[in-house]
Amino acid sequence: MGNANVPSDAMDSPIVQRLIRGIKQYHGKCNCHPVQPITLPVLLSIVEQLHPGITPGHIALRAAFCLTYSGLLRSDEFTTGKGRYNPSLNLSRSSIKFILNFDNATHTHLTLPTSKTDPFCKGVTITIAAAPGWPTCPIAALK
């Protein structure tokens, strides 16, 4: 006997197999863990929970979250993936250039060493503007 007291040979029937295949095609695969976008309210909630002056590492987390949100980065563009840092593939401090200067930056150029939209890994530079007065300002978070 198989599941639910149904004989297992009934599940092997070609008709049942076609029925199951049709259901899967119609409904598609079930994504049990859908990826949710980080919206501004979610980012604000995350930033409020961080304590950059108190907890070690929160300064870097705030900068990463704000920069990633403002630059519309994909997760693989700002993480190391399997935990192995490779400067030719991952972001570093040298990937960021403040425009005007560090103290008076109005925006920054972020150079991504690799990107989904860069199949030849030549690097992509994106411009990220400051958002003065916002707790999610990427320029303030990077400073």
Side-chain angles (χ1 to χ4, degrees):
M1 287 287 185
N3 292 337
N5 295 326
V6 177
S8 61
D9 58 339
M11 297 302 291
D12 296 333
S13 161
I15 294 173
V16 172
Q17 292 300 314
R18 279 189 292 220
L19 177 65
I20 292 171
R21 189 171 49 245
I23 291 170
K24 287 181 180 178
Q25 286 176 350
Y26 181 78
H27 289 286
K29 289 187 176 182
C30 174
N31 188 355
C32 298
H33 304 287
V35 177
Q36 298 295 319
I38 301 295
T39 60
L40 184 57
V42 171
L43 180 62
L44 286 168
S45 175
I46 292 170
V47 169
E48 287 173 6
Q49 300 300 316
L50 297 175
H51 305 287
I54 301 168
T55 308
H58 281 201
I59 292 173
L61 285 174
R62 181 172 177 257
F65 293 154
C66 293
L67 186 69
T68 300
Y69 177 81
S70 298
L72 303 173
L73 302 181
R74 295 176 177 90
S75 61
D76 62 339
E77 292 173 335
F78 75 96
T79 60
T80 58
K82 296 183 180 173
R84 296 184 184 98
Y85 177 76
N86 182 341
S88 65
L89 301 175
N90 303 118
L91 289 176
S92 66
R93 289 183 179 178
S94 64
S95 301
I96 300 167
K97 181 181 178 188
F98 291 94
I99 304 305
L100 290 185
N101 58 42
F102 180 79
D103 295 324
N104 301 312
T106 58
H107 59 284
T108 184
H109 287 164
L110 176 66
T111 302
L112 302 172
T114 60
S115 174
K116 182 179 176 181
T117 60
D118 179 26
F120 301 109
C121 298
K122 293 183 178 181
V124 175
T125 300
I126 59 174
T127 301
I128 300 174
W134 279 85
T136 59
C137 176
I139 306 303
L142 286 168
K143 291 181 178 180

